[in-house]
Structures are given as structure tokens and as C-alpha cells.
Amino acid sequence: MNPQHIIISRDIAAELRHVVDDVRPDRLFILTDTTTLRCCWPRVEDNDALAAATMITIAPTDEAKTLDSLTHVWAALQDGGATRHSLLINIGGGMVTDLGGFAASTFKRGMAYANVPTTLLAMVDASVGGKTGINFRGLKNEIGVFSAPHTVIIDTLFLRTLDAENVRSGYAEMLKHGLISDEQTLAPLLTFDLDNIDYAALAAMVERSVGVKERIVAADPHEHGIRKALNLGHTVGHAFESLAMAEGRTILHGYAVAYGLVPELYLAATRCGFPAERLHQVEAFVRDHYGHFAFTCKHYNRLIDLMRHDKKNTAGTINFTLLGAVGDIRINQTATPADITEALDYYQG
Ligand code: GLY
């Protein structure tokens, strides 16, 4: 995978112009979803560099991260005469940057794409690191490729367009970055006032959080080793998310990650010596800001089965990333169904 090029932008119009000037595409396409078109596009559309672009719009939310949407994007690229020398700019949340990245990386075996994340989740996680793809048959990100964007332009001006739930969703990935990095990154995250957001302080924390992900991806772009650190909270989190999706009570990805952090940090505490007081602090933060994911012990087998299907596993084992302490990353930790049952019991209280 090519090295990442991530720009923390103070002037989105100028950065977009630089990308178009650098790629010099024969044709330019912009992919967005209907919500982003309404809330964010007005902040970037007045730009000569984008004047000739063909707009492609898909439905919003993770429910649209489907083969049908992907087909729509491929068809729009084909109808618009896209070639390997064209450029697709994905403007939106993680659904748009993941699906658009996959569409571009597979169209005619690959054309350039750039990401302009407009949600907190996409800024600190989804748009950075070259993971692209779609959901398939009820499983998250089941089909996809690693393929780096030409550029990721992160401009926190878009944060003001987000509702409280979407801020919290992205914030869960920032908490994860704090947990896998160091106390200096984690401590302000646990005391930040999410009810009265100081956007300047949030922007500074976003920059730091993106730096955590950038360093990890640079060290291990294809997730053979340390990139697995980014999966903290996700083994259980993805199972919660898939269960919720199957039951028609879809939850935002970051909420699933926040809920998943609690049983996974419990496993970390019982197996790797992660400090109990930190577990309790994170647990209280998650409860206060994200509430509780409702399920009963009747769901345990289903959840464990969903964890078995996770891409991170080999030969039927269930893999976790755990911590011995903040920043003390332990990848490739397996847990038995009995261990997981204990962790889910702990989460249930
Ligand atoms: N979202 C985890 C990763 O990019 O590896």
C-alpha cells in the first residue's frame, strides 16, 4: 500500500485545489450521501477546482454500505467515462469513504481517490489507513481491499455539523486511541465535557488521535501485527453491531465500540493485569455517555458465533487485542467461549 498522505486542513478549498492540481485527473467525480450533500457540501461547493466534477450521491448511514450502492457508484463512474486517470473525491462519513475507496480501488483495477471525512468517526478512523469495503450478508466490512487514498483532508470545521450521537460515535474511537497510546492522550479524553463541546479543544484532540492511527498504520499497513491494536473493543463491538443490525435496531459503529471496550477491558484486567480502576473509569464513562447495549444471556451463543466470523480470526479461534496497561498492547490474545461469557456477564452487571 502507498504511504498515507494526511492533511490537517485549515483551508478546505485550498487543500482540495492542491489535490486536483496534483492528480490532474482526466475526469473528476465526487461521491457523497444525501445527508452530507445537505449539511456539508455547501461548505465546499464554491470551488473552481470542483466545477467540472460529476456528482454521485448515495443514501446515508451504514445501511447503505451495500453491493447495491457500490453498483450504483461503479455505474456512475462508467456512465461518466471514468478511466484509470480519473479521481474520485469521497466527501462524507465512514460509509462514504469506505465504499467510495473500494469503488475507486476496483474500478478498471484502480483509480485514484481522496477522502474528505465529515464525521468525527471518519476523521479519526475510517478515512485514514486505506481499509475500504462494504457490508455483506449481515457482516460488517466483509468485502473490501486495503488501498491507500491519494490524500485524506481532515478539516474539523465539519464537526459543527454533527449531532451529539455522531460526535459520541467518533469519540469512542478516540478513547480507543487514548487507551492504546499513553496516559497523556487518554486523560483529557476521559474528562472532556461532551455535553458542552469546546470545538477548539476537540480539534486538538482529533489531531492527536489521527496521529496515533497514522503512526500505527505506517508501521503495519496490512494488519499483520501492531495494526491489530486498532481492533481494541471491536471483537465484541462488531458482534454487538451485527446483532443490532440483524434485529433492526441499528446502532452507530462508535457506540458498539464503546460498549465493546467494557467486556474487552474486563478480559484485559482478568488476563493481562489491566488496572481495575482504569476499567471502572472507562466503564463509567461509557455508561454515562453511551448508555447500555441491551441483550440477554439468550443472545450469548449468537454473539460468540458472530465473534467467530470476525475477519481477525484464524481457524475457529476468537482473537482479541487486549492491554496490560494503557499503551501496553497485547495482540493475538485468544479467549474461549467461557471467558467471553464471563466478560459478557460482567458487562451485563
Ligand atoms: N479501524 C481499524 C483499522 O483501520 O485498522
Side-chain angles (χ1 to χ4, degrees), residues 29-320:
F29 296 82
I30 292 174
L31 175 67
T32 189
D33 66 77
T34 49
T35 304
T36 310
L37 190 67
R38 193 178 65 249
C39 301
C40 304
W41 176 243
R43 296 172 189 239
V44 287
E45 68 180 325
D46 185 18
N47 188 328
D48 290 349
L50 307 183
T54 300
M55 294 295 294
I56 309 172
T57 308
I58 54 177
T61 82
D62 207 63
E63 282 165 44
K65 201 171 170 183
T66 61
L67 196 52
D68 280 349
S69 303
L70 179 64
T71 303
H72 174 76
V73 177
W74 278 329
L77 292 172
Q78 193 177 52
D79 290 346
T83 73
R84 281 190 187 167
H85 306 287
S86 303
L87 170 67
L88 176 67
I89 302 179
N90 302 313
I91 305 181
M95 185 277 287
V96 168
T97 60
D98 279 14
L99 186 146
F102 186 55
S105 305
T106 47
F107 187 79
K108 294 193 191 287
R109 299 209 177 91
M111 55 184 270
Y113 76 97
N115 286 337
V116 180
T118 56
T119 64
L120 184 55
L121 186 94
M123 286 179 200
V124 298
D125 188 27
S127 73
V128 176
K131 280 189 180 175
T132 71
I134 57 165
N135 302 334
F136 188 62
R137 299 177 81 193
L139 293 175
K140 296 269 306 159
N141 304 323
E142 180 77 343
I143 311 290
V145 292
F146 286 99
S147 168
H150 174 279
T151 304
V152 182
I153 305 172
I154 295 172
D155 198 315
T156 52
L157 84 97
F158 294 115
L159 292 178
R160 290 173 187 271
T161 68
L162 295 180
D163 57 28
E165 284 72 32
N166 273 291
V167 171
R168 281 164 204 235
S169 182
Y171 200 83
E173 297 286 1
M174 294 172 67
L175 271 183
K176 178 197 78 180
H177 288 162
L179 283 161
I180 62 174
S181 53
D182 51 48
E183 292 284 352
Q184 291 74 13
T185 308
L186 180 64
L189 288 163
L190 288 170
T191 53
F192 187 70
D193 185 355
L194 276 169
D195 295 319
N196 296 293
I197 294 175
D198 173 343
Y199 284 96
L202 181 59
M205 292 196 298
V206 166
E207 198 165 335
R208 191 163 184 159
S209 199
V210 172
V212 172
K213 176 145 188 187
E214 194 177 358
R215 279 191 295 281
I216 288 178
V217 172
D220 176 24
H222 292 103
E223 200 174 301
H224 297 305
I226 193 63
R227 184 165 182 169
K228 294 180 187 176
L230 298 170
N231 295 331
L232 179 70
H234 283 63
T235 303
V236 177
H238 274 157
F240 284 168
E241 198 174 2
S242 296
L243 179 69
M245 190 158 66
E247 294 188 337
R249 51 177 179 133
T250 304
I251 52 175
L252 292 174
H253 174 70
Y255 277 66
V257 172
Y259 302 140
L261 281 173
V262 177
E264 293 196 17
L265 289 180
Y266 172 81
L267 285 175
T270 51
R271 299 160 59 102
C272 306
F274 185 77
E277 82 248 48
R278 268 288 182 222
L279 163 64
H280 298 145
Q281 204 180 3
V282 174
E283 189 181 352
F285 189 91
V286 170
R287 196 183 48 240
D288 292 350
H289 296 89
Y290 298 84
H292 185 79
F293 181 65
F295 63 97
T296 70
C297 44
K298 287 199 205 110
H299 291 103
Y300 282 20
N301 284 344
R302 176 89 186 275
L303 286 167
I304 291 169
D305 205 43
L306 284 164
M307 290 177 215
R308 265 197 204 98
H309 277 94
D310 199 291
K311 290 180 285 305
K312 301 184 283 294
N313 296 321
T314 42
T317 62
I318 302 179
N319 264 307
F320 289 86

